[in-house]
Structure formats: C-alpha cells, structure tokens
Amino acid sequence: MYNRLKNLLSPIFIFCLVLLILNDFLLKATFHNVFTGKLSDFCGLFIFPIFWCALFPKFKSWIFILSGILFIFWKSEYASGLIELVNTFFPLERTVDPTDLLALPVLLLGWLHLKGRPQLALGKSLLPRLATAFIALVTIFSFCATSQQRYVQSFDHPQYVLLRSALTPDVKLYDEFEFYKIGSLLVVKVNHQYISRPVLDDDFNKNRSLEDLDANTMARIGDSTSLMPPGKITVLTIETPQGRDALRFKGGRLDGRFTRTKNGKLMIEGFYKMGIEDSIWTFKDSTSNAVIKQTIVNGERTSVEQFRDGKLVSSTSINTRADSIRNIYIKIGMLALCMVGIILFLRRNYLKTFPEQLTLKMGWKWLLCLLSPIFVWLSYLGLNILLINYSPDIFETLATIIFIFMATCPLMFVAVFKIRLRKEIDIVLYCLLFGLACSIWTICGTLIELAN
C-alpha cells in the first residue's frame, strides 16, 4: 500500500494540495475574486486523478477519463438532483459556471507528470511511510472540504428588494426568498444569503453582503426580472405572515421609513439608507409591554436598550468594526509579550544548565516531536476561545490541525535535536510558545481581513 502511495510525495503534488487547502480556507474568504474561484478547480483537477491512480495504478487511463467526465457533470445543471439528494446526508456546495471547464487541460498536465516522474523507492524507513499516510489523509480531507456548504448570512431586520418582472417565480426553487407580485413589480423578501464564511459575524460583514443585493437577487432568479430605474421612488404596502409591511424603495433598495404592523399595533419601526439600517430601530412585543431599541450608525449597531412598561431594564453597548480592530491590536500585543516572556524563560533555563541537557531515549524524542503538535493545537484552541469569538466548523478544525502539524513538527525537531531540551518544563514552554505563535498568526489574518 505504501509503495502505491509513493507518487503522493511528489513536490508538485504536495504544493498543489497545500495551495488547494489554503485557497479554500483562506484565500477565497480574503479576496473573493475570479482567481481564487478558479484556483481550486485547477489544483483539484491535478491532485484528484493522481491520488486515485496511486490507489489503483492499473486503471490510470480510465481514472483520468472519468475525472474529466465527472468534472463536466459536476459543473453542469444536470448534477443538481444528485447534489440535493446528497445534501440530505452531507452538506455540499457547487456553483454552476461554464468557465470552470477551462481547468480541464490540467488533466493532461497530471497525466504527463505521472508518465515522466521517476519511480521512488520508499524502502523500510518509517518517516516516508508516515509521510505518505499523512498526505493521503490530508488529500481525502481536501476533497471533502472543497465542496463544503457555504455560510448562511441571516438578517435581524427585514430585507426587501424591488424588481420588474412579468412572472412570479416559483418559491419552491428559492429557500432564501419570498415573492410578492404587484402588477409589473416584484417585491422580493430576502430571508438570508449564501456567502463565504466571514472572519467575524458582525454588522459590518452583513452590510458588505448587502452590496448590490438587488442585482444579485435578479441574477439568482433569472431572465424574467430586471432592475428598477435608479432613483425612482416607489411606496408599497404588502401583507406578510409576520404582519403588514410599509416599504419605501429608491430604485430597487429600501430607502426611508419602514414599519410593520400586526392587528393594528406597530411592531417594528426604523429607517433605511439604500438598504442599510440607520438611526433608531424599535421592536415591540405583541404579547407584553417589552420594547427593544437599537441605535444604528452607518449600518452598525452601537447600543441595544430594553424597556418594560416604559422603564429601562438593560442597556448593552456593541463594538463596531473600528472597536473590534482596536481590541485585536491589544490582544496581539498581549500575546507577543507572552511569547517574549517564554523565550526569556527558555533562555534562562539554557544558560543555567549548559552544557547539561535533558536525557531522553531516541524513541521518546521522536514520539515527542510527533505528538507535540496535539498539545500546540490544544493551547491554540484555548487561546482562541479565550480571546476571540472562535466557532469553527469541522473542516476548519481539521485544516487547522493539519497546518499546525506541518508548521510545528519541524520546529519541534529543531528544538529537541538541535537546540536540545534542558528541563522537563521546556517541553510545555515550547508547546505554549508555538501555540501563541499560531494564535498571533490567526489573529493577524483576522486583523488584515477586518481592515480591508
């Protein structure tokens, strides 16, 4: 089995595999452009047939032919029924885009790579065998993670867009929309959107997802709809299961006062500026005298006040994006100071005990280097839970474990075999040090995306 997987040790294969995972978990969320959208297709089409050829080397030709056929089928509308069936058991996400077929020539590059690659001999060495097994597991993970379901962006405040349409779309085809037809106008209530998972689930991110909401909704529904003329004022009242909504549109976006009444009582009142909430929003409970008031500045909530029987019950301040960025700078500074303290402590241990060193058998040293990333990840996880709103899904967790193993395992080999451990406490200190470094790396990535 290990000899079959030896082609997975190819530097080009490993590079494409790492690039695929980086793109799916970092680059797509950061840049949201055509390049990152196509990069996964190119890398995936290269590693997919090579991986299966490693398992079934006698069927190379059929594997490459079927890979091309399956890719074309996957990127077509004909796969929708199969995807809906699979979604009942495992969440999948797929975008129908004919331009993705431009990646098909990569199959030829993969074929030529296998044909021109000299055969490796793994021998009986433990490290190459462990490496092949690890890369195989990471490859299977990348195949699952690249089609993971997108993040659902929901809205606390009602969101509508106004379009022109001769027909009423079939609501069964769109789980995120509700349709209200008024003459030649189509009012679309947007309950949620499917987007890439944001770095921080806040009002600023929600406002970004609302940019061009009318154009995105029109593209999602199809050719039977068209945009409203920019600047045209339209005032409508529609009946919804939640109540009667009074809407004012400028072009295709909400702009001006919004109210919702039910059984003659005012339930919600607020203001929009081109689809973004603004000013004071008031929410009333029809079964009690409870009232919630939200203060919103440029689409971001700054405070929430709760009243009962006209008396203030509670008041909560909410961080804006600027507040979050300032707090992250403070957290990075605290973590950096902790890293400096640990480095100084390790240096003191080194100077006090030199030339003595901690005596460990070779087997224990290897085991320590291979298992230490687990403790690094645990310290990283604890720091992130403590310092940031950390709620990753299963794919992000597995990707984090893989990256931490790939980053910290070589560093631990340097610490154990090159620098040499001096005391037992050094093992804990190195794990904490690498965990702090990983946390700073993650938080810096969050900071960069928040600042963009």
Side-chain angles (χ1 to χ4, degrees):
M1 174 60 74
Y2 290 107
N3 283 326
R4 289 184 181 183
L5 297 177
K6 57 191 174 185
N7 282 322
L8 304 187
L9 294 179
S10 162
I12 298 177
F13 181 90
I14 296 174
F15 173 78
C16 290
L17 175 61
V18 173
L19 189 58
L20 175 64
I21 298 176
L22 274 174
N23 188 58
D24 287 336
F25 288 95
L26 180 61
L27 301 181
K28 280 184 179 180
T30 303
F31 298 106
H32 306 287
N33 55 28
V34 176
F35 176 76
T36 57
K38 298 291 183 287
L39 187 58
S40 290
D41 295 326
F42 281 86
C43 292
L45 265 184
F46 183 82
I47 68 174
F48 184 83
I50 293 177
F51 174 78
W52 292 110
C53 285
L55 293 178
F56 307 102
K58 295 181 179 180
F59 302 97
K60 289 181 182 179
S61 299
W62 279 109
I63 288 173
F64 275 89
I65 293 171
L66 290 175
S67 295
I69 295 174
L70 287 173
F71 183 74
I72 295 171
F73 174 73
W74 177 258
K75 292 297 180 178
S76 71
E77 296 181 354
Y78 299 105
S80 299
L82 177 62
I83 292 173
E84 290 180 4
L85 177 63
V86 176
N87 274 336
T88 59
F89 307 98
F90 184 82
L92 289 178
E93 189 56 46
R94 184 276 320 255
T95 301
V96 178
D97 186 354
T99 62
D100 290 342
L101 300 182
L102 294 172
L104 282 172
V106 173
L107 289 172
L108 178 60
L109 297 178
W111 175 265
L112 295 175
H113 171 71
L114 282 184
K115 286 294 184 180
R117 176 171 171 76
Q119 296 298 312
L120 293 174
L122 293 183
K124 298 182 179 181
S125 178
L126 177 63
L127 188 57
R129 290 173 176 269
L130 290 176
T132 54
F134 175 73
I135 293 173
L137 291 174
V138 173
T139 305
I140 295 173
F141 162 75
S142 71
F143 294 154
C144 298
T146 194
S147 299
Q148 61 179 312
Q149 195 171 37
R150 290 175 292 178
Y151 177 80
V152 177
Q153 175 67 68
S154 57
F155 306 110
D156 296 329
H157 304 82
Q159 273 296 337
Y160 290 91
V161 297
L162 184 64
L163 303 171
R164 292 187 184 275
S165 178
L167 303 172
T168 302
D170 186 356
V171 69
K172 294 180 181 179
L173 300 177
Y174 310 96
D175 64 325
E176 69 268 39
F177 298 143
E178 296 176 21
F179 301 107
Y180 302 90
K181 192 76 169 61
I182 304 175
S184 63
L185 302 178
L186 179 67
V187 180
V188 183
K189 185 173 187 289
V190 182
N191 295 318
H192 58 264
Q193 289 192 100
Y194 294 105
I195 63 172
S196 299
R197 185 179 179 88
V199 66
L200 187 64
D201 186 13
D202 59 0
D203 290 335
F204 184 90
N205 173 77
K206 180 210 66 178
N207 294 339
R208 288 180 62 184
S209 71
L210 291 174
E211 295 175 1
D212 302 320
L213 182 63
D214 52 345
N216 293 336
T217 302
M218 182 196 71
R220 176 80 172 88
I221 294 173
D223 297 333
S224 63
T225 59
S226 60
L227 295 175
M228 292 292 294
K232 180 177 175 58
I233 304 298
T234 307
V235 179
L236 299 171
T237 301
I238 60 173
E239 294 288 344
T240 73
Q242 294 79 27
R244 175 179 290 182
D245 290 355
L247 312 173
R248 182 183 185 275
F249 292 94
K250 185 175 181 180
R253 304 300 300 273
L254 289 170
D255 190 82
R257 185 170 181 261
F258 169 89
T259 61
R260 173 177 290 173
T261 56
K262 189 172 185 179
N263 300 325
K265 294 183 179 180
L266 182 65
M267 306 303 300
I268 302 177
E269 181 180 20
F271 295 87
Y272 284 98
K273 284 186 178 180
M274 292 307 296
I276 304 298
E277 300 88 356
D278 193 61
S279 190
I280 304 294
W281 276 73
T282 304
F283 299 82
K284 297 182 179 179
D285 191 340
S286 60
T287 60
S288 66
N289 294 324
V291 176
I292 297 176
K293 287 189 176 182
Q294 297 179 352
T295 301
I296 301 177
V297 179
N298 296 325
E300 294 187 81
R301 290 170 295 178
T302 58
S303 67
V304 176
E305 297 177 320
Q306 295 187 20
F307 296 86
R308 188 175 296 277
D309 298 324
K311 296 181 179 180
L312 180 64
V313 177
S314 66
S315 179
T316 304
S317 296
I318 300 177
N319 288 338
T320 63
R321 181 58 63 104
D323 297 327
S324 298
I325 292 175
R326 184 191 65 246
N327 292 339
I328 287 177
Y329 274 116
I330 296 173
K331 293 171 182 177
I332 291 175
M334 293 171 56
L335 293 177
L337 288 175
C338 291
M339 283 190 67
V340 171
I342 291 176
I343 292 172
L344 292 176
F345 201 84
L346 287 169
R347 182 176 180 272
R348 191 192 71 170
N349 286 349
Y350 184 88
L351 295 176
K352 286 181 66 176
T353 58
F354 185 82
E356 296 179 4
Q357 56 182 283
L358 185 64
T359 303
L360 289 173
K361 293 183 178 179
M362 183 61 67
W364 284 107
K365 289 182 178 180
W366 275 80
L367 188 63
L368 175 62
C369 294
L370 294 174
L371 293 182
S372 60
I374 297 175
F375 300 99
V376 173
W377 175 75
L378 289 174
S379 62
Y380 163 85
L381 180 65
L383 288 168
N384 281 2
I385 292 174
L386 180 65
L387 296 176
I388 62 177
N389 184 19
Y390 188 68
S391 55
D393 59 25
I394 182 61
F395 291 110
E396 288 176 302
T397 301
L398 291 174
T400 301
I401 293 173
I402 291 170
F403 284 129
I404 287 179
F405 182 87
M406 295 173 66
T408 62
C409 196
L411 292 175
M412 205 64 191
F413 271 100
V414 173
V416 172
F417 289 97
K418 187 68 175 178
I419 300 175
R420 310 289 177 85
L421 300 175
R422 304 297 164 174
K423 294 183 177 181
E424 291 84 352
I425 192 64
D426 287 359
I427 301 173
V428 178
L429 292 176
Y430 275 115
C431 289
L432 285 176
L433 181 64
F434 297 149
L436 285 167
C438 292
S439 294
I440 290 178
W441 175 268
T442 300
I443 296 176
C444 285
T446 301
L447 179 63
I448 292 172
E449 186 167 346
L450 291 179
N452 288 336

